[in-house]
Amino acid sequence: MLYSIIGEDVANSLSARQQARPAHLGRLEALQDEGRLVLAGPNPTIDSDNPGDAGFSGSVVIAEFSSIEEAKSWADADPYVAAGVYKNVTVKPFKQVFPN
């Protein structure tokens, strides 16, 4: 089943986010290589693809896991969690309707 993982950043997370980014991306690439990643990306703090020093307010990942427990375990092990980038992470089942 698909799950949405929504991470909400702490204030002024940009520096910690940049430091943990390579490890964070490595985990996403592994999901992609396994054919389990639907989409992933950050939420810019401002209305811009490149927010610069304004940074990001969070991230969204939609991926396939065998259970919500597996999805939560995966999310809890994210380098952004360990680095203190996220203040909150929400994991919910996700039903993809479009594109089909």
Side-chain angles (χ1 to χ4, degrees), residues 14 18 51-56:
L14 187 57
Q18 289 170 332
D53 291 340
F56 299 91

Side-chain angles (χ1 to χ4, degrees), residues 52-69:
D53 291 340
F56 299 91
S57 64
S59 302
V60 176
V61 174
I62 298 179
E64 183 179 347
F65 294 93
S66 62
S67 67
I68 194 163
E69 291 80 17

Side-chain angles (χ1 to χ4, degrees), residues 15-93:
S15 177
R17 183 179 265 274
Q18 289 170 332
Q19 289 177 6
R21 188 171 189 261
H24 172 77
L25 293 180
R27 297 179 79 238
L28 292 170
E29 288 169 356
L31 283 179
Q32 181 172 281
D33 291 347
E34 295 166 4
R36 298 169 48 200
L37 183 64
V38 175
L39 66 85
N43 303 109
T45 301
I46 61 173
D47 193 13
S48 172
D49 283 342
N50 184 5
D53 291 340
F56 299 91
S57 64
S59 302
V60 176
V61 174
I62 298 179
E64 183 179 347
F65 294 93
S66 62
S67 67
I68 194 163
E69 291 80 17
E70 182 191 6
K72 286 180 178 179
S73 178
W74 186 91
D76 288 344
D78 193 290
Y80 282 174
V81 172
V85 172
Y86 292 151
K87 65 180 174 185
N88 186 50
V89 177
T90 304
V91 179
K92 296 181 180 183

